Structure formats: structure tokens, C-alpha cells
Amino acid sequence: MGAIHLNRVSKVYDGDVVAVDDVSLEVADGEFMVLVGPSGCGKSTLLRMIAGLERVSAGEVVIGGRDVTHVAPPDRDIAMVFQNYALYPHKSVRENLAFGLKQRKVAKATIDARVADAARMLGLEEMLQRKPSQLSGGQRQRVAIGRAIVREPSAFLLDEPLSNLDAKLRTTMRGELARLHARLGITTVYVTHDQVEAMTLGTRVAVLRGGVIQQCASPQELYRHP
Ligand code: ADP
Ligand code: ADP
């Protein structure tokens, strides 16, 4: 249900900066699509247009068969994780995980069950009473991921989520994200400038340069035809 379809999407910022230039992309339901490329190639802009955090200058965004081009972010049935965790500093881990569901008036029993599931999957069971300031960087990013998945969105959008972590933790978290995706099968779009991350995580990888997709293929195909 969570396929994402971009139909000839462009973004021109003030001052005539063409950040994304007539891009079409089909992300199949359950796929893990990575957008990779150098700084400034338009990855974040493209992701933010899928999320609705940035308006498109032209084109259409369709999520789960619904044209959401003019739909506000909270009504797009997506969840996002950013490089800077953006957790609520005064709330506990449990409250951070539950907050989005509470706002959406989800029943308490459902919230408790989903929070417990996410905490188990992400190794946060012992951390639920802590505040974000009492967590390591990796634990904070796990909370941010947990907060996104408890919503059970149609699509999961991540923008350089591991860039602030050290190399060892990045490798660990990469494995965790891959396992989480294998388990939940949620349609994922993942932005990174890191080629290793792209090739290990993606079921397909879209290589961007200058606002256009140069190549879009499975990691195996990209290794054969770089
Ligand atoms: P990436 O995520 O690949 O680093 P971005 O999508 O952030 O690339 O940026 C693509 C291009 O758009 C760059 O040239 C950048 O300077 C420009 N850009 C990004 N955001 C804005 C903005 N809010 N206003 C003007 N130009 C922007
Ligand atoms: P929820 O609790 O429902 O996940 P949040 O309060 O985390 O919602 O975020 C509200 C909106 O702001 C969402 O659409 C989210 O994508 C966006 N958002 C959250 N954190 C950031 C951030 N660091 N930068 C930009 N947008 C953000």
C-alpha cells in the first residue's frame, strides 16, 4: 500500500536554483530506496518534497495510490527521521515514543503495545524512563527511529540519519536498520552521501547529480556497471 511515485517533480528555489530537475521515480511497496550523491545534488530536497516539507515547483507526488502533492505533512501517512534527532528534551523516552500516537488520539492500550514492541526491537527497554540528555547518540537515534515506526506509516523517510554517529556505531545502526526493514517491510527512502551505506542498505539505489537521477539500479547492477 505504501508505494511512492514521483512524476516529473522539480524544485526551483528563490534565485533560480534548480535543486531537482524533472525527476520521475517509482519506489515499490516495501522497497528500500537509497538516494545517494554528493552534497548539493538535491537529495534532501527530493526527500522533503516526498514528505511535504518542501513544495514542488512542478510535478506530482503519489503515496499509496493517493495524490498527496498538495497534502500537508501530517496527513501524508509518512514518518521521518533526521540527522539531528529532534527529540523532545523534557519528555522521557517512553513519552517521546508515544507522543505522535497520543496526538492522533490512538487508544492507550495500542500505544502501550506499540511502544513496548518498538522498545524491544530497538533495544530501548531499559531506557524508557530516561530523558534524551541521558542517552548516547546511538540510543537517541534509536528513539527517533522508534518514534517514527510506532506510527506504522505507509512510508519511512530518513535523511542522513547516521551521519552524526561514529564509524563503529554507524555500522551497528546500519545492521539494525536493515533488520528492521526486513522485519517490517515498510517502504523506505533513505538519503545519504555515503556510498557504502547506499550499497549495503538499498534494494535499489538512485544516484543523483545536479538535480537529476543519473542511474537507478540494484546494488548488484551498480557494481557491475559503475
Ligand atoms: P543535498 O541534500 O544533496 O546536499 P539539497 O537538496 O540540500 O542537496 O540542495 C540542492 C541544491 O538546492 C543546492 O544547490 C542547495 O544550495 C540548494 N538549496 C537547498 N535548500 C535551499 C533553500 N532553502 N533555498 C535556496 N536554495 C536551497
Ligand atoms: P510526530 O510526533 O507526529 O512524529 P513531530 O512533532 O516529530 O511529529 O514532527 C512534526 C512535523 O515536523 C513532522 O511532519 C515532521 O516531519 C517535521 N519535523 C520533525 N522534526 C523535524 C526537523 N528536525 N526538521 C524539519 N522537520 C521536522
Side-chain angles (χ1 to χ4, degrees):
M1 291 306 292
I4 298 169
H5 180 56
L6 301 179
N7 186 25
R8 306 198 60 176
V9 167
S10 293
K11 179 68 185 185
V12 184
Y13 285 112
D14 298 340
D16 301 342
V17 179
V18 183
V20 172
D21 189 4
D22 200 13
V23 164
S24 294
L25 181 67
E26 194 89 49
V27 185
D29 188 26
E31 188 167 24
F32 197 122
M33 174 70 76
V34 177
L35 308 179
V36 69
S39 178
C41 71
K43 312 180 288 292
S44 279
T45 300
L46 196 56
L47 193 76
R48 292 170 66 81
M49 288 193 289
I50 298 173
L53 297 170
E54 207 72 71
R55 281 168 193 277
V56 303
S57 304
E60 292 166 345
V61 180
V62 178
I63 300 175
R66 183 167 70 116
D67 184 342
V68 295
T69 312
H70 303 290
V71 172
D75 300 321
R76 286 194 181 199
D77 195 20
I78 50 105
M80 242 182 125
V81 172
F82 301 90
Q83 184 175 343
N84 52 342
Y85 326 104
L87 302 177
Y88 300 102
H90 303 296
K91 294 185 197 289
S92 68
V93 168
R94 180 192 298 284
E95 289 163 339
N96 266 284
L97 291 172
F99 186 74
L101 295 174
K102 260 192 186 155
Q103 273 189 320
R104 288 171 177 77
K105 311 258 187 275
V106 174
K108 185 169 182 313
T110 308
I111 296 180
D112 289 347
R114 289 200 201 163
V115 167
D117 271 354
R120 195 173 327 110
M121 274 190 266
L122 293 161
L124 292 169
E125 287 163 300
E126 310 300 315
M127 316 281 157
L128 287 169
Q129 305 311 323
R130 291 198 198 175
K131 298 281 164 62
S133 61
Q134 300 169 303
L135 301 176
S136 71
Q139 288 164 344
R140 281 182 212 166
Q141 198 54 306
R142 287 192 185 95
V143 178
I145 291 165
R147 189 176 63 172
I149 62 170
V150 291
R151 299 233 320 261
E152 301 184 349
S154 295
F156 189 22
L157 311 177
L158 303 99
D159 193 349
E160 303 264 7
L162 307 185
S163 296
N164 279 348
L165 306 179
D166 64 48
K168 186 156 174 272
L169 195 51
R170 242 186 350 254
T171 308
T172 309
M173 290 295 294
R174 218 156 61 204
E176 288 189 14
L177 278 170
R179 274 195 296 282
L180 201 63
H181 180 258
R183 185 138 159 212
L184 301 176
I186 180 169
T187 310
T188 302
V189 184
Y190 186 102
V191 162
T192 183
H193 63 270
D194 182 328
Q195 299 210 2
V196 176
E197 222 167 272
M199 297 299 245
T200 47
L201 279 171
T203 51
R204 272 197 304 157
V205 177
V207 183
L208 272 86
R209 205 163 289 259
V212 302
I213 295 178
Q214 280 197 322
Q215 269 181 302
C216 183
S218 69
Q220 293 78 10
E221 288 167 314
L222 286 176
Y223 276 124
R224 276 200 300 273
H225 307 284

XYZ file of all heavy atoms in Angstrom, residues 48 51 53 73-74 78 80 82 84-86 88 99-100 103-104 147 151, ligand 2:
186
model
N 12.396 15.857 1.035
C 11.486 16.793 1.696
C 10.240 17.049 0.862
O 9.177 17.357 1.406
C 12.220 18.090 2.028
C 13.290 17.895 3.111
C 14.176 19.109 3.272
N 13.439 20.251 3.773
C 13.144 20.449 5.059
N 13.545 19.595 5.961
N 12.463 21.500 5.428
N 8.040 14.193 1.665
C 7.467 14.403 2.993
C 6.445 15.533 3.025
O 5.619 15.599 3.928
C 8.587 14.712 3.987
N 7.477 18.657 3.238
C 8.114 19.749 3.979
C 8.587 20.842 3.020
O 8.944 21.928 3.444
C 9.307 19.220 4.791
C 8.945 18.201 5.875
C 10.198 17.564 6.449
C 8.121 18.856 6.977
N 2.195 17.695 5.522
C 2.972 16.552 6.031
C 2.219 15.630 7.006
O 2.289 14.407 6.852
C 4.177 17.202 6.709
C 4.336 18.504 6.041
C 2.969 18.957 5.617
N 1.506 16.174 8.005
C 0.880 15.260 8.975
C -0.180 14.352 8.350
O -0.508 13.318 8.922
C 0.225 16.209 9.992
C 0.832 17.527 9.756
C 1.266 17.578 8.343
N 3.315 9.449 6.446
C 4.745 9.158 6.362
C 5.369 9.460 7.721
O 4.780 10.199 8.515
C 5.450 10.004 5.275
C 5.083 11.486 5.434
C 5.079 9.544 3.884
C 6.119 12.346 5.997
N 9.328 10.513 9.419
C 10.660 10.953 9.015
C 11.662 10.888 10.148
O 11.307 11.130 11.300
C 10.556 12.391 8.524
C 10.957 12.497 7.079
S 10.927 14.154 6.457
C 12.601 14.258 5.847
N 15.592 12.430 11.005
C 16.604 13.370 10.533
C 17.937 13.090 11.201
O 18.036 12.348 12.163
C 16.189 14.802 10.877
C 14.884 15.205 10.291
C 13.702 14.998 10.980
C 14.824 15.783 9.038
C 12.484 15.366 10.438
C 13.611 16.154 8.490
C 12.442 15.944 9.189
N 19.744 15.299 12.946
C 19.656 15.784 14.330
C 18.326 15.291 14.897
O 17.280 15.570 14.361
C 19.764 17.302 14.400
C 18.785 17.977 13.468
O 18.266 17.343 12.553
N 18.502 19.228 13.683
N 18.418 14.569 15.978
C 17.323 13.693 16.404
C 15.987 14.391 16.625
O 14.944 13.802 16.457
C 17.735 12.944 17.672
C 19.210 12.635 17.674
C 20.092 13.357 18.457
C 19.717 11.654 16.822
C 21.446 13.093 18.423
C 21.071 11.392 16.784
C 21.928 12.114 17.582
O 23.260 11.862 17.538
N 16.033 15.670 17.034
C 14.789 16.407 17.274
C 13.854 15.657 18.226
O 12.654 15.566 18.000
C 14.079 16.711 15.953
N 12.005 15.372 22.000
C 11.546 16.353 22.978
C 12.419 16.213 24.221
O 12.391 15.175 24.887
C 10.083 16.118 23.311
C 9.197 16.234 22.100
C 8.706 15.109 21.455
C 8.874 17.483 21.578
C 7.912 15.212 20.326
C 8.087 17.604 20.449
C 7.614 16.467 19.825
O 6.843 16.576 18.708
N 4.384 10.063 21.858
C 3.800 11.382 21.642
C 2.957 11.492 20.364
O 1.813 11.959 20.396
C 4.900 12.442 21.641
C 4.369 13.841 21.566
C 3.782 14.412 22.677
C 4.411 14.568 20.386
C 3.260 15.711 22.626
C 3.897 15.849 20.318
C 3.325 16.416 21.432
N 3.524 11.049 19.248
C 2.813 11.169 17.973
C 1.500 10.392 17.976
O 0.510 10.817 17.363
N -1.092 12.289 20.168
C -1.646 13.417 19.415
C -2.715 12.956 18.453
O -3.660 13.686 18.172
C -0.537 14.069 18.597
C 0.235 15.121 19.323
C 1.149 15.843 18.346
O 1.753 15.231 17.473
N 1.247 17.144 18.498
N -2.538 11.746 17.925
C -3.502 11.221 16.961
C -4.628 10.459 17.650
O -5.381 9.742 16.991
C -2.784 10.326 15.948
C -1.943 11.127 14.991
C -1.065 10.237 14.128
N -0.305 11.029 13.157
C 0.786 11.737 13.455
N 1.258 11.765 14.673
N 1.392 12.432 12.509
N 10.169 6.332 17.333
C 9.058 7.284 17.276
C 8.401 7.279 15.899
O 7.195 7.479 15.763
C 9.596 8.683 17.596
C 8.520 9.714 17.773
C 9.097 11.034 18.178
N 9.975 11.577 17.159
C 10.497 12.794 17.200
N 10.243 13.582 18.225
N 11.268 13.225 16.244
N 4.197 4.724 14.604
C 3.044 5.283 13.881
C 2.544 4.323 12.806
O 1.479 4.508 12.250
C 3.436 6.609 13.234
C 3.870 7.664 14.238
C 3.094 8.935 14.027
N 2.931 9.198 12.598
C 3.684 10.039 11.916
N 4.626 10.725 12.510
N 3.481 10.211 10.630
P 5.215 13.284 15.206
O 5.347 13.326 16.695
O 3.826 13.134 14.743
O 6.194 12.337 14.558
P 6.819 15.626 15.164
O 6.334 16.543 16.245
O 8.013 14.794 15.383
O 5.600 14.721 14.685
O 7.046 16.476 13.869
C 6.016 17.254 13.317
C 6.361 17.568 11.877
O 7.598 18.262 11.795
C 6.513 16.289 11.059
O 5.890 16.473 9.814
C 7.999 16.125 10.878
O 8.281 15.561 9.615
C 8.516 17.541 10.992
N 9.823 17.571 11.681
C 10.155 16.970 12.821
N 11.437 17.168 13.148
C 11.948 17.970 12.186
C 13.238 18.551 11.930
N 14.290 18.359 12.732
N 13.404 19.311 10.822
C 12.377 19.514 9.998
N 11.138 18.994 10.165
C 10.910 18.237 11.239
